[in-house]
């Protein structure tokens, strides 16, 4: 940081991280929702999970921040990234988030856009986590992804003007609210052209359990027509979780998911799961 408002960053990045800046739906499955589509927009799977780059950070005030990154298109989760930087293209990634307050109820919005350039999208194994079987390729050398999200408390036990900590992967206030996420992508390249997620979340809705948290969410992923040769269909699902605070440092979470099968000959699924997190 060269000042309180401007800094630069360089190194190896985890692009999926904990999801976008959202009070009720982030955490990468560790603290809130477990389903990917309720943490990070599905079209962003087209980005490398981990790669190297440089960037700049601008923080005009405590409620507003911007980040711009210039990254390699090389997927290097399991490597040092420098062995194959010359033929995977690049990624320009820009994000911004803003927090506000309405009558003492905090809320926030965030937006992210990605532009991939000089890439060979016929080499599908160069893109992270994309299933290549039955997926048609594209002769384009560039593509884009853009989306935004919001969260808003509708009730809190005590008024709080914010801003809140969106990096701790949990609801900060005793109360509840709503969240939503909408993302679009270039359907001539990206297997997912649109994704939507929405739901409710909060903490301490029972006075006797002020540190318990919960969430209920729904998602829908719109498949790009023809990209999967009619083998994969639009996907949707829902999840509900309840997080029990056993001690200040120990939490137990129970969740249930309904997943509508997006592939022929595969049944819909109901998934029950539990988590136990201990901080020390």
């Amino acid at each position: 940081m060269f000042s309180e408002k401007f800094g630069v960053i360089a190194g190896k990045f985890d692009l999926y991280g904990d999801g976008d800046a959202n009070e009720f739906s982030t955490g990468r499955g560790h603290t809130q929702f477990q389903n990917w589509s309720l943490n990070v927009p599905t079209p962003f799977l087209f980005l490398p999970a981990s790669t190297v780059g440089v960037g700049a950070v601008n923080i005009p005030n405590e409620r507003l921040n911007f980040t711009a990154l210039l990254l390699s298109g090389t997927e290097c989760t399991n490597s040092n990234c420098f062995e194959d930087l010359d033929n995977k293209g690049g990624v320009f990634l820009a994000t911004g988030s803003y927090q506000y307050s309405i009558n003492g109820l905090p809320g926030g919005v965030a937006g992210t856009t990605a532009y991939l350039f000089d890439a060979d999208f016929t080499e599908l194994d160069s893109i992270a986590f994309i299933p290549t079987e039955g997926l048609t390729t594209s002769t384009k050398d560039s593509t884009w992804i853009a989306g935004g999200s919001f969260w808003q408390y509708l009730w809190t036990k005590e008024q709080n003007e914010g801003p809140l900590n969106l990096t701790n992967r949990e609801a900060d206030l005793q109360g509840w609210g709503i969240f939503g996420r909408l993302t679009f992508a270039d359907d001539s390249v990206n297997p997912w052209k649109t994704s939507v997620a929405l739901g409710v979340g909060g903490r301490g809705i029972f006075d006797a359990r002020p540190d318990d948290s919960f969430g209920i969410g729904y998602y829908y992923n719109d498949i790009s027509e023809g990209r999967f040769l009619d083998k994969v269909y639009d996907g949707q699902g829902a999840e509900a979780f309840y997080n029990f605070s056993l001690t200040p440092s120990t939490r137990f979470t129970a969740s249930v998911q309904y997943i509508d099968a997006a592939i022929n000959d595969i049944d819909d699924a109901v998934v029950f799961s539990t988590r136990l997190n201990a901080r020390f």
Side-chain angles (χ1 to χ4, degrees):
M1 297 299 294
F2 293 103
S3 70
E4 293 182 353
K5 297 184 178 181
F6 179 77
V8 296
I9 186 171
K12 188 175 182 180
F13 294 88
D14 177 359
L15 295 188
Y16 298 158
D18 292 322
D20 62 9
N22 198 295
E23 177 78 346
F24 303 121
S25 62
T26 188
R28 201 173 183 172
H30 299 299
T31 56
Q32 295 180 330
F33 293 101
Q34 287 191 288
N35 192 290
W36 169 273
S37 294
L38 291 169
N39 283 280
V40 178
T42 304
F44 279 96
L45 281 170
F46 218 55
L47 298 180
S50 179
T51 192
V52 293
V54 297
V57 179
N58 182 28
I59 309 173
N61 56 63
E62 62 180 2
R63 296 182 179 274
L64 180 65
N65 69 80
F66 299 98
T67 302
L69 300 174
L70 183 61
L71 306 159
S72 167
T74 300
E75 168 57 50
C76 48
T77 301
N78 299 313
S79 71
N80 61 16
C81 300
F82 296 106
E83 297 177 357
D84 194 22
L85 290 180
D86 57 344
N87 62 351
K88 303 298 183 181
V91 180
F92 175 74
L93 185 66
T95 64
S97 66
Y98 174 70
Q99 292 192 50
Y100 56 85
S101 179
I102 301 177
N103 296 326
L105 295 173
V109 294
T112 302
T113 183
Y115 179 69
L116 289 75
F117 57 92
D118 293 336
D120 184 359
F121 297 117
T122 62
E123 297 182 7
L124 295 175
D125 58 351
S126 66
I127 304 299
F129 303 130
I130 299 297
T132 59
E133 183 178 356
L135 180 60
T136 60
T137 60
S138 173
T139 57
K140 294 178 64 175
D141 63 359
S142 63
T143 190
W144 57 269
I145 311 167
S149 67
F150 80 94
W151 57 271
Q152 175 65 58
Y153 275 97
L154 299 182
W155 174 83
T156 58
K157 188 170 183 179
E158 297 180 356
Q159 287 192 343
N160 187 307
E161 296 292 334
L164 304 182
N165 181 5
L166 301 183
T167 65
N168 59 1
R169 304 180 296 186
E170 59 187 16
D172 292 281
L173 305 180
Q174 187 173 352
W176 67 276
I178 58 176
F179 70 89
R181 187 180 292 114
L182 177 63
T183 305
F184 300 97
D186 177 6
D187 63 357
S188 65
V189 175
N190 201 303
W192 299 275
K193 63 180 178 181
T194 310
S195 71
V196 179
L198 51 90
V200 300
R203 177 173 67 84
I205 56 174
F206 304 114
D207 288 337
R209 307 287 306 175
D211 295 320
D212 289 359
S213 60
F214 79 97
I216 303 172
Y218 166 82
Y219 69 89
Y220 182 86
N221 295 318
D222 191 6
I223 295 293
S224 300
E225 294 182 5
R227 299 287 290 130
F228 281 102
L229 300 178
D230 299 325
K231 293 184 178 181
V232 180
Y233 302 97
D234 297 345
Q236 61 181 330
E239 180 181 354
F241 75 86
Y242 193 89
N243 182 299
F244 297 88
S245 178
L246 304 180
T247 71
S249 62
T250 307
R251 296 178 179 272
F252 176 82
T253 306
S255 69
V256 57
Q257 299 181 52
Y258 170 76
I259 302 174
D260 183 21
I263 302 177
N264 279 334
D265 303 323
I266 294 181
D267 295 333
D268 297 346
V270 177
V271 181
F272 297 93
S273 61
T274 59
R275 292 171 293 184
L276 180 63
N277 291 346
R279 301 178 183 178
F280 54 89

